[in-house]
Amino acid sequence: MEHQVTLTALLHGPDQKGLVSKTSSWIFACDGNILHADQHTDHEEGIFFQRIEWTPAPGTDIARHMHAFQVFAQELGMDVEIARSDCKPRVAVFVSKIEHCFHDFMLRWKAGEFPCEIACIISNHETLRHAGEVTYEVPFHCIPVTAENKEQAEAQSLTLLKAEGVELIVMARYMQVLSDDFLRKVKTPVINIHHSFLPAFKGARPYYQAYRRGVKIIGATAHYATPDLDEGPIIQQAVAQVNHRHSVNDLQRKGKDLEKSVLAQAVRWHLENRILAYKGKTVVFD
Amino acid sequence: MEHQVTLTALLHGPDQKGLVSKTSSWIFACDGNILHADQHTDHEEGIFFQRIEWTPAPGTDIARHMHAFQVFAQELGMDVEIARSDCKPRVAVFVSKIEHCFHDFMLRWKAGEFPCEIACIISNHETLRHAGEVTYEVPFHCIPVTAENKEQAEAQSLTLLKAEGVELIVMARYMQVLSDDFLRKVKTPVINIHHSFLPAFKGARPYYQAYRRGVKIIGATAHYATPDLDEGPIIQQAVAQVNHRHSVNDLQRKGKDLEKSVLAQAVRWHLENRILAYKGKTVVFD
Amino acid sequence: MEHQVTLTALLHGPDQKGLVSKTSSWIFACDGNILHADQHTDHEEGIFFQRIEWTPAPGTDIARHMHAFQVFAQELGMDVEIARSDCKPRVAVFVSKIEHCFHDFMLRWKAGEFPCEIACIISNHETLRHAGEVTYEVPFHCIPVTAENKEQAEAQSLTLLKAEGVELIVMARYMQVLSDDFLRKVKTPVINIHHSFLPAFKGARPYYQAYRRGVKIIGATAHYATPDLDEGPIIQQAVAQVNHRHSVNDLQRKGKDLEKSVLAQAVRWHLENRILAYKGKTVVFD
Amino acid sequence: MEHQVTLTALLHGPDQKGLVSKTSSWIFACDGNILHADQHTDHEEGIFFQRIEWTPAPGTDIARHMHAFQVFAQELGMDVEIARSDCKPRVAVFVSKIEHCFHDFMLRWKAGEFPCEIACIISNHETLRHAGEVTYEVPFHCIPVTAENKEQAEAQSLTLLKAEGVELIVMARYMQVLSDDFLRKVKTPVINIHHSFLPAFKGARPYYQAYRRGVKIIGATAHYATPDLDEGPIIQQAVAQVNHRHSVNDLQRKGKDLEKSVLAQAVRWHLENRILAYKGKTVVFD
């Protein structure tokens, strides 16, 4: 029944008086029912952000309604993205050999925690093929990456992502740095999990760095990948206490739990259209 | 300049279509500028909650504007409370001999963390008179309470609270249970800090109870006091890890930090008109 | 090479002067190398607890050495349990239909996080047979339980556990209450995960209870199962913040992450011989 | 009664077999009673660390006993520091104008949380003189610091610290960087509270840096001050969740609670002789 569809719009643009009233009144005038509306103003930058979720009136032509809202929002000077609840985004999972984030992510997906389809798994190793294809029943593509073939390998991934209609890439501990070129061409958001409390311990071997520095808390950070390594907008972070008794291995083990839950949280928020990234930061309407 | 006043309304009532649009449009029609609007619907109970903060247009007659909003909200079937930023509520602090919450609370107040006036300190002991009167320069009233005089003592407090125009009572570890009769008569909200993670360890000596049970986490709970002891709506809770090495004294020491920050958080939220209590629970627009 | 075996002793008994010296000197006199030694005295109860981990001298007859230590400890009036690192305990996993704790536990085991063998999975449902037998390659036994057959079903489990030489039972969200009779007969420790912050919300549907009460923090508790339901010694607890926006489903989802990590932590500590339970509480040498 | 004195030794040196046995046996041979013994081996560096707390036998000549232990430990190749419970260390508090850490620290001290005497307060401003002298009854010295007089000002502080017999400096948000020269000359440990989660956001205005980066968690770090700014051994860290709604002011407010409790924790551990610093890190026997 088409009238049970819910729509979620994410808007942002220059702040001005009356925006809350205008968007809610537009929906009310169409006899829609607002389920949630959340807004935020960055007073320093003068930007207004809104997430608004509503059910259109029964019998509404959804596509036309979405288009009309888009036109309306643009007339207000707002950028807008609208998602409909009956269209599940297609996601690609990038993974190497490390298993914990991958399994955790796939199990949550199987348990219905993520409103998405998993279009494919792309890995630079064969390690997880059986799990991917048999346990989770998702197409698995092995695209090995070396210093020499990186350009071609990324081109191959891009072709595949396009063919599969992928709208989100989730890097579940994919042990390759995506090139600037790839990130510019891919056009879809890329969510990465970094195994430290950014901006501390960027780059390689963060648990080892944390151990050497003798920190008393370790962390994990989910962020959008951008051409600046580990500098993309942070979506979510979590931490755990450690002490002098913990070896690098202990930090890794404790960190795994953080990585799993932080990545899952970030992806769920993204799929529920709760995140607006701007100026290297995120607004998360949770 | 009166036009810089901001107003904050807390509304709740039966859910119905168009409420977000109606309230925001009413303010927009008066040329007001909405700074924050946050809403929540309890779908199980069918209740709509909203907190809306706005600056009226320059030159607005604030009292009349507030009255008009009140009439408007009632026509929508909503209960409403409105606060104006230029009227600081008057608060009474109840305390016994225990010092940590009291000093922490008063120091935060002196540092400008709470938008309120402290009308008076009421204690059943003389212990903190000097700190209250000299260090913090607030009137201090000692009203001793015994099993025999409890009724008269409470009557004396009620008279004092009325005379001082008190609008909120903060129990900063006041070691007396307020009677049902007092709580019914007082008409102002009462915020209490209970030194356990409610509903675990109600009643007396919660740290001792926690120690005996061997829990691995202790907590503190700020809640509105109601005639049911330790059963009032919970505003905020915080916890800390403990282990077998911690004595009851250690739990008390660690708990003090929780009590201080949780009480402060709860009072600040209350003073910023962020809390709606209903059916034994709270909606906190933070 | 037998000389690389490490031994871990857990001792407890009446406190007396010189215990630390005596146990460490005994090992030193045998030319053993102490890797870790941790002790705790419950001054209220007058009980001394110690965990001591050492490598015996090369060429030591391990069984004889363990026996000698046992005799020595008993002469000091201490109860003692000794584990050798080359003997992995056999564990039985009890599970119903709920998947998250089960998969998480099995994946951690496959990844080498638990020093144990999983002897068998026992379930009152067929749901997880395929995962158990095929994905994790562990024998799976379905023993349905009804009000009528409970006694026979438990007898069947006991026979199986004995035949398999099981030394620890892990209840990974097993949705049956084990009878007092079973718990008395089984002789092995049973670790359960309760989906609340005990002692709050004992019994059925704790997330629903938490939702009704309007708490701001939820938790999970791993404990040893004893005949008193949800009253056994607490091993570990963890919590997460919630607010009025969270439905019962949200609490369940957030709680799953707590349950998984708390259960894993408790089992790992148990398998590393870090836990001494006494008087309804635990000493955890972490 | 001198026999109720407890002694606490902190030892560290090259790891070797039998150390636990040797130290505990030495004490047992003197008829001392070990209350706590905790050890740690850094296997990577091959260093053994121990904290051992005991009551000497009644009638023991404490000074001679301490000296004998020192000789004994040195014969084992260990560095050792011994503290006696009846000698309270003398502490100097450095502070500028920021009040929260100062008041919190002094109130905890007055409440008996720190086993020390506060010898003096040194400030580069007059702001807190009244609080220091009148409320807390501690000598207050104002030593203004400018770019020009820094060398003389530090010399003045050093003279004062020496005259007062200060054994620990606590920087309760002292807004001056101590020079390398000062830190080399002072000979006492200096505990500083840095208002970020180190190593993230070193240097000036860490809350502003955190806000600009859009982190989702802020922190505070207590560390020993060394000539490398914000690079000294970390003692304790704590964190709090933040989101896009928090302004820099909100981060500062939330951070204050972290700073207060983390600084207090670090100082208490230091005063209880629980901390050994080595190679830029700390072992904390908590």
Side-chain angles (χ1 to χ4, degrees), chain C residues 76-89:
Chain C
L76 290 175
M78 310 289 279
D79 277 342
V80 64
E81 281 179 68
I82 315 183
R84 52 190 291 174
S85 61
D86 56 351
C87 293
K88 289 191 179 178

Side-chain angles (χ1 to χ4, degrees), chain D:
Chain D
M1 293 182 294
E2 197 178 30
H3 66 273
Q4 289 184 328
V5 168
T6 67
L7 299 177
T8 306
L10 281 172
L11 305 109
H12 74 284
D15 192 26
Q16 54 181 285
K17 218 190 256 188
L19 287 172
V20 175
S21 166
K22 284 172 186 167
T23 53
S24 55
S25 298
W26 188 94
I27 293 165
F28 185 53
C30 298
D31 207 23
N33 189 26
I34 293 176
L35 301 174
H36 298 286
D38 206 353
Q39 46 275 328
H40 170 65
T41 307
D42 183 328
H43 292 289
E44 200 174 293
E45 305 280 355
I47 305 176
F48 174 86
F49 303 87
Q50 190 174 41
R51 179 184 186 273
I52 192 159
E53 194 178 332
W54 74 97
T55 48
T60 300
D61 176 331
I62 299 293
R64 183 180 295 231
H65 184 69
M66 286 169 72
H67 180 71
F69 186 85
Q70 215 132 13
V71 169
F72 156 74
Q74 279 154 7
E75 284 169 4
L76 290 176
M78 310 289 279
D79 277 342
V80 64
E81 282 179 68
I82 316 183
R84 51 189 291 175
S85 60
D86 55 351
C87 293
K88 289 192 181 179
R90 290 174 66 75
V91 171
V93 176
F94 277 46
V95 69
S96 293
K97 293 180 185 174
I98 292 174
E99 306 206 5
H100 62 280
C101 275
F102 173 73
H103 283 301
D104 187 77
F105 187 85
M106 298 305 287
L107 284 166
R108 287 176 195 265
W109 171 68
K110 280 221 140 179
E113 205 174 294
F114 301 130
C116 69
E117 285 173 35
I118 303 212
C120 61
I121 298 157
I122 295 180
S123 181
N124 54 335
H125 293 282
E126 285 289 350
T127 319
L128 292 164
R129 177 180 295 277
H130 185 262
E133 290 181 346
V134 179
T135 309
Y136 305 117
E137 299 173 82
V138 169
F140 181 96
H141 306 276
C142 181
I143 303 179
V145 182
T146 63
E148 291 72 37
N149 83 341
K150 181 151 184 161
E151 206 176 318
Q152 301 97 294
E154 290 196 342
Q156 198 180 338
S157 293
L158 284 169
T159 306
L160 186 57
L161 294 166
K162 200 163 186 185
E164 288 287 3
V166 165
E167 293 157 84
L168 173 70
I169 294 171
V170 174
M171 295 171 76
R173 299 296 310 273
Y174 180 66
M175 307 305 278
Q176 292 287 328
V177 176
L178 298 174
S179 73
D180 292 11
D181 193 51
F182 179 92
L183 288 166
R184 265 191 302 273
K185 285 181 182 156
V186 72
K187 307 291 187 216
T188 73
V190 178
I191 294 179
N192 184 39
I193 180 76
H194 183 75
H195 39 314
S196 88
F197 182 81
L198 288 176
F201 311 127
K202 290 178 212 176
R205 303 183 71 203
Y207 293 125
Y208 181 72
Q209 292 184 55
Y211 174 80
R212 295 300 295 178
R213 180 62 187 91
V215 292
K216 301 301 186 186
I217 289 178
I218 56 164
T221 303
H223 64 97
Y224 288 114
T226 59
D228 297 314
L229 182 63
D230 300 334
E231 287 285 354
I234 292 171
I235 302 170
Q236 175 69 335
Q237 304 188 286
V239 293
Q241 292 270 348
V242 296
N243 62 43
H244 63 273
R245 297 193 188 283
H246 291 101
S247 64
V248 176
N249 282 347
D250 293 327
L251 302 194
Q252 280 170 335
R253 179 177 48 69
K254 285 177 88 88
K256 281 178 180 180
D257 279 8
L258 301 177
E259 295 164 30
K260 293 189 297 190
S261 62
V262 166
L263 178 63
Q265 176 88 88
V267 172
R268 192 172 50 248
W269 280 337
H270 180 92
L271 292 171
E272 293 173 355
N273 306 292
R274 298 185 178 282
I275 314 179
L276 267 161
Y278 78 111
K279 301 203 174 237
K281 302 164 65 167
T282 58
V283 169
V284 178
F285 291 117
D286 65 331

Side-chain angles (χ1 to χ4, degrees), chain B residues 237-257:
Chain B
Q237 303 187 288
V239 293
Q241 291 271 348
V242 296
N243 64 42
H244 63 272
R245 297 194 188 281
H246 292 99
S247 65
V248 176
N249 282 347
D250 293 327
L251 302 195
Q252 280 171 336
R253 180 176 49 71
K254 285 178 88 87
K256 281 178 180 179
D257 278 8

